Amino acid sequence: MNVGAHVSISGSRVSSDEETPPFDDIRNAVHRQVAFGGNCGQLFTASPRVWAEPAIDETAAEGFRAETEEQLEGPWVIHSAYLVNLCTPKDDLRAKSVSSLQADLDAADALGVPYVNVHLGAHTGAGVEGGLDNAAGVIDGLEIPDGVQLLIESDAGSGTKLGGEFAHLAGIIERTETDIGICIDTAHTLVAGNNLTTPAAVDETVARFDEEVGLEYLEYIHLNDSKHDVGTHKDEHALIGEGYIGEDGMRAIVNHPDLRDLPFALETPTEDGKGFAWNIAKVKELRES
């Protein structure tokens, strides 16, 4: 089973070049993933809340690739900055979004990471069709390295954000000439209006996704429980099995024949003394042989 967490790269290591100042070291992600019991996972290359491009030392990048190959089984995915908005009608925000996303794609190439994950963003008045057209234009203008795939993540669907409906995901696939994939976030999918609380509900939602989007596009799953119920559009993650999806829904997801072989990355909170290690262990407990 490929399951892991979204881990931090923060923390400095001593550089071999004494003239080089301390920097966040990408290798920290591998060490933390192993410590949590994960064998795949997700990371940011820089702070996701500011316009900051990755600053990855070549030695650290080489070490990251080597340690990943030695210690992990499943694939990494890089999550783009939260500020990136593919759907925006604003030229300045679009330019910043392109620059930030391109930097993460280039970082993925340098690190041997096969996926970069991004939200569609908000159309902010351009309308659904206009927002999807804007996003497709951005995607097709990127220089995506060989061996790296851009994944569009499903959204909770609040306000003018796109990606909450399966039709939005199908719409961006139809519009772009780029070979993109999809990352489904289970908490987002639930609050966007898709029931995942029982085995029957999971079967129905997966079948509908296949009909509207296509399971062949699904590459990664953000496995999160939700603190809010179906259709609330409130994005707040819960511990695995302790939210509205619950143990029955989570068990059905991680054992579903169309989902079980995909990599799962957790973005669960740390609460009541339960962090990533507890959540990963819980997922493994729910997995049936």
Side-chain angles (χ1 to χ4, degrees), residues 79-279:
H79 196 303
S80 65
Y82 293 138
L83 300 177
V84 170
N85 188 342
L86 306 186
C87 295
T88 182
K90 300 176 181 177
D91 291 340
D92 57 341
L93 180 54
R94 182 185 299 111
K96 290 179 179 178
S97 297
V98 168
S99 178
S100 178
L101 189 51
Q102 184 65 59
D104 273 334
L105 290 164
D106 294 340
D109 186 36
L111 295 168
V113 172
Y115 301 114
V116 173
N117 178 78
V118 66
H119 292 268
L120 284 172
H123 67 70
T124 61
V128 172
E129 300 301 315
L132 292 174
D133 288 343
N134 290 339
V138 169
I139 292 169
D140 286 341
L142 294 166
E143 296 181 9
I144 300 179
D146 291 340
V148 179
Q149 186 177 35
L150 185 67
L151 304 183
I152 305 300
E153 181 181 343
S154 62
D155 199 271
S158 60
T160 65
K161 290 181 180 179
L162 299 184
E165 298 180 19
F166 292 161
H168 299 164
L169 303 177
I172 191 63
I173 290 170
E174 292 168 359
R175 284 169 169 79
T176 182
E177 298 178 358
T178 305
D179 179 23
I180 60 174
I182 299 297
C183 172
I184 284 292
D185 184 303
T186 54
H188 297 171
T189 300
L190 181 87
V191 300
N194 307 283
N195 197 342
L196 293 170
T197 61
T198 67
V202 171
D203 285 344
E204 190 278 329
T205 294
V206 171
R208 188 156 39 80
F209 176 89
D210 189 27
E211 181 180 352
E212 295 186 34
V213 183
L215 281 165
E216 65 270 23
Y217 292 102
L218 185 58
E219 300 286 346
Y220 223 106
I221 294 178
H222 285 173
L223 190 67
N224 301 302
D225 213 326
S226 173
K227 291 188 177 181
H228 303 280
D229 207 349
V230 181
T232 57
H233 302 291
K234 295 180 179 180
D235 182 10
E236 192 175 6
H237 298 173
L239 300 171
I240 297 296
E242 297 192 4
Y244 277 87
I245 294 178
E247 284 196 8
D248 287 346
M250 280 292 166
R251 183 180 291 106
I253 291 167
V254 300
N255 291 294
H256 193 283
D258 291 323
L259 308 180
R260 60 180 287 126
D261 292 332
L262 293 169
F264 297 92
L266 280 62
E267 302 166 319
T268 46
T270 297
E271 295 175 344
D272 303 326
K274 300 173 181 177
F276 282 138
W278 183 92
N279 281 279

Side-chain angles (χ1 to χ4, degrees), residues 15-71:
S15 171
S16 59
D17 179 359
E18 294 181 359
E19 306 254 336
T20 303
F23 50 86
D24 285 347
D25 194 310
I26 197 75
R27 289 171 291 185
N28 291 332
V30 181
H31 302 153
R32 288 176 176 139
Q33 195 65 257
V34 172
F36 290 138
N39 61 8
C40 67
Q42 182 173 262
L43 54 87
F44 292 121
T45 59
S47 172
R49 302 186 185 280
V50 296
W51 295 112
E53 295 191 358
I56 301 172
D57 178 86
E58 171 117 14
T59 300
E62 292 176 357
F64 176 89
R65 292 195 299 270
E67 292 175 22
T68 292
E69 184 174 356
E70 292 169 0
Q71 302 180 49

